[in-house]
Amino acid sequence: DGGITQSPKYLFRKEGQNVTLSCEQNLNHDAMYWYRQDPGQGLRLIYYSQIVNDFQKGDIAEGYSVSREKKESFPLTVTSAQKNPTAFYLCASSRINQETQYFGPGTRLLVL
Amino acid sequence: AQKITQTQPGMFVQEKEAVTLDCTYDTSDQSYGLFWYKQPSSGEMIFLIYQGSYDEQNATEGRYSLNFQKARKSANLVISASQLGDSAMYFCAMRDSANQAGTALIFGKGTTLSVSS
């Protein structure tokens, strides 16, 4: 079945540690996005990518990094510079020039 | 700056009743798109319905319809014949034209819908 997968479902980070969240899609979508959701809040854009080897910062990119080496994959690294990383992270994808985004199941990141 | 406002933190409805979830938006763009997503307790965001600013008809998808009032800048979601499985958080969103690619979405804070039997 076509869709977006995110792993792991839960992730625990220790102080000073970098962690990487995986996002893979087999929808043949060109654009991919990372959003952060805090409790009781809407989603905020971290990074997005429209083509391989190119990505742009969103509204809250500080403390995060991404790569887009393959069309299907858009991993997000939460670096030690992100001082408040506890949140729910959602990956999405869409066709270029089509606005509807489809989301993965999310990764919940907790700090130990 | 663009903005989405959802003023109802929570809504309660009985099964089989209709419910309207409010959404107002602010944009200076002439061309824009509005979305509704459902987020059940599992966390996944499920796309429900889309309305383009130039669409003459209100969008409908099964039990979901979007009451689009352009002059009032409102895009309310109407769920007919509520079911227990409709209990979830609902988000209104629109395309963020300030974003360089113009394809990312901005979201409201959501409305929690609780359906009782």
Side-chain angles (χ1 to χ4, degrees), chain A residues 5-11 20-24 34 105-107:
Chain A
T5 57
Q6 291 186 241
S7 62
K9 188 173 181 178
Y10 295 96
L11 186 57
T20 297
L21 286 61
S22 168
C23 177
E24 305 273 335
W34 274 105
T107 293

Side-chain angles (χ1 to χ4, degrees), chain B residues 10-87:
Chain B
M11 290 286 285
F12 298 88
V13 68
Q14 289 207 307
E15 266 187 305
K16 301 180 185 177
E17 290 183 349
V19 63
T20 298
L21 306 183
D22 294 342
C23 172
T24 58
Y25 60 92
D26 191 13
T27 182
S28 56
D29 294 342
Q30 297 301 310
S31 175
Y32 51 89
L34 295 153
F35 302 81
W36 278 92
Y37 284 86
K38 172 184 178 181
Q39 187 178 42
S41 57
S42 60
E44 185 171 359
M45 297 284 281
I46 302 167
F47 167 69
L48 295 178
I49 196 166
Y50 168 81
Q51 178 84 42
S53 58
Y54 289 120
D55 294 341
E56 294 184 356
Q57 305 271 355
N58 284 344
T60 60
E61 290 285 350
R63 294 185 299 111
Y64 303 108
S65 61
L66 201 153
N67 184 0
F68 182 47
Q69 297 189 39
K70 198 169 181 177
R72 294 185 176 184
K73 293 189 174 179
S74 76
N76 298 339
L77 178 70
V78 181
I79 305 175
S80 63
S82 296
Q83 302 172 355
L84 293 177
D86 293 335
S87 293

Side-chain angles (χ1 to χ4, degrees), chain A residues 6 18-23 31-36 44-70 73-79 82 89-92:
Chain A
Q6 291 186 241
N18 292 354
V19 292
T20 297
L21 286 61
S22 168
C23 177
M32 297 187 74
Y33 311 83
W34 274 105
Y35 292 91
R36 169 179 170 143
R44 293 182 291 167
L45 181 68
I46 306 173
Y47 267 99
Y48 65 95
S49 167
Q50 288 198 299
I51 56 172
V52 173
N53 292 324
D54 185 56
F55 47 84
Q56 305 294 333
K57 292 182 179 181
D59 301 322
I60 55 167
E62 185 174 351
Y64 300 97
S65 66
V66 293
S67 62
R68 186 88 187 275
E69 297 177 2
K70 299 187 299 182
S73 178
F74 191 40
L76 173 74
T77 296
V78 184
T79 74
Q82 173 50 246
Y89 291 87
L90 285 153
C91 178

